[in-house]
Amino acid sequence: DTAVSQTPKYLVTQMGNDKSIKCEQNLGHDTMYWYKQDSKKFLKIMFSYNNKELIINETVPNRFSPKSPDKAHLNLHINSLELGDSAVYFCASARGGGNEQFFGPGTRLTVL
Amino acid sequence: LAKTTQPISMDSYEGQEVNITCSHNNIATNDYITWYQQFPSQGPRFIIQGYKTKVTNEVASLFIPADRKSSTLSLPRVSLSDTAVYYCLPFSSGTYKYIFGTGTRLKVLA
């Protein structure tokens, strides 16, 4: 009965490849987020979606494209992966804005 | 959005009370203050939220002075399992953008 799940948990790939990370929440929330946490542990918001609509897009390169097929899913597709994309990516969900966020377990992306 | 300042790291011993203070000088009138806890290899987890004075739950207490320019998370009688990074996070209802600061890395020693 995992609340927020992400797949895969680990992702190792070569520079230049395209990869996707999937996120699903079963909490009935209408808002979902993607965060990036780098090696120094800074947790930075990338995108916010509310009711499948993009609300926040934080100076993220165009190579990153989130897609929300429905309110329970927010996937992250990354084109032309670069070394600097190596990080842990967290998905989160919440009920509306300004409320407690529930985070997934994270996806550790390593670009070689 | 209010910028936060927290100590980068703290060490404590098992059984002690730990107080972590966060400074948020430009907090807005309608901002709440939330604290999250992040264990290694896990996502952050909400632990407590308040607006002013004192809030207590089964995990921690949160003290917010009248001017609300700072807040203190208090963890009573910590154990080794409380070793984690603790983030202070002001936000206002209806916002979709959260700014996590550097957090405080708490290490509990035996």
Side-chain angles (χ1 to χ4, degrees):
Chain A
D1 60 343
T2 304
V4 182
S5 60
Q6 296 178 227
T7 53
K9 187 168 177 59
Y10 299 97
L11 185 54
V12 181
T13 188
Q14 299 287 332
M15 277 176 55
N17 284 350
D18 303 338
K19 290 293 179 185
S20 292
I21 307 172
K22 294 185 177 182
C23 177
E24 176 182 1
Q25 54 94 4
N26 63 3
L27 298 167
H29 289 161
D30 56 2
T31 305
M32 296 185 73
Y33 308 83
W34 276 109
Y35 287 85
K36 178 181 180 181
Q37 187 166 46
D38 61 25
S39 57
K40 294 183 179 180
K41 305 298 183 185
F42 291 120
L43 190 63
K44 185 175 180 184
I45 192 167
M46 299 173 70
F47 303 102
S48 298
Y49 268 74
N50 176 255
N51 286 317
K52 302 194 306 176
E53 289 193 17
L54 181 65
I55 302 294
I56 299 287
N57 182 343
E58 279 293 291
T59 21
V60 178
N62 290 337
R63 299 183 294 103
F64 290 80
S65 53
K67 284 187 172 53
S68 183
D70 54 59
K71 287 195 293 185
H73 295 84
L74 181 62
N75 304 323
L76 184 64
H77 187 77
I78 315 170
N79 290 327
S80 303
L81 279 156
E82 301 177 356
L83 293 176
D85 297 332
S86 294
V88 181
Y89 292 83
F90 288 101
C91 175
S93 73
R95 187 179 67 249
N99 289 308
E100 175 185 350
Q101 295 178 79
F102 293 78
F103 284 79
T107 296
R108 181 174 295 277
L109 171 65
T110 302
V111 183
L112 303 175
Chain B
L1 294 165
K3 183 179 178 183
T4 62
T5 303
Q6 302 175 232
I8 292 176
S9 64
M10 295 178 70
D11 287 347
S12 181
Y13 289 94
E14 282 191 291
Q16 289 186 333
E17 178 184 76
V18 171
N19 295 310
I20 305 174
T21 297
C22 176
S23 170
H24 29 78
N25 289 323
N26 60 339
I27 192 167
T29 303
N30 55 351
D31 278 351
Y32 285 78
I33 297 149
T34 312
W35 284 78
Y36 281 77
Q37 175 190 56
Q38 185 177 22
F39 295 117
S41 302
Q42 294 186 26
R45 180 177 75 111
F46 170 93
I47 48 176
I48 199 166
Q49 170 183 312
Y51 184 79
K52 60 181 178 180
T53 63
K54 178 182 176 181
V55 178
T56 297
N57 62 20
E58 65 279 4
V59 176
S61 293
L62 179 59
F63 299 91
I64 305 168
D67 66 6
R68 304 195 336 115
K69 292 184 184 298
S70 66
S71 58
T72 299
L73 176 74
S74 181
L75 304 172
R77 299 181 60 79
V78 293
S79 63
L80 295 177
S81 62
D82 291 318
T83 293
V85 179
Y86 292 83
Y87 295 95
C88 162
L89 184 64
F91 73 92
S92 57
S93 178
T95 189
Y96 292 95
K97 181 173 180 175
Y98 299 85
I99 307 295
F100 282 84
T102 55
T104 297
R105 188 175 302 274
L106 173 66
K107 186 174 181 180
V108 181
L109 306 168

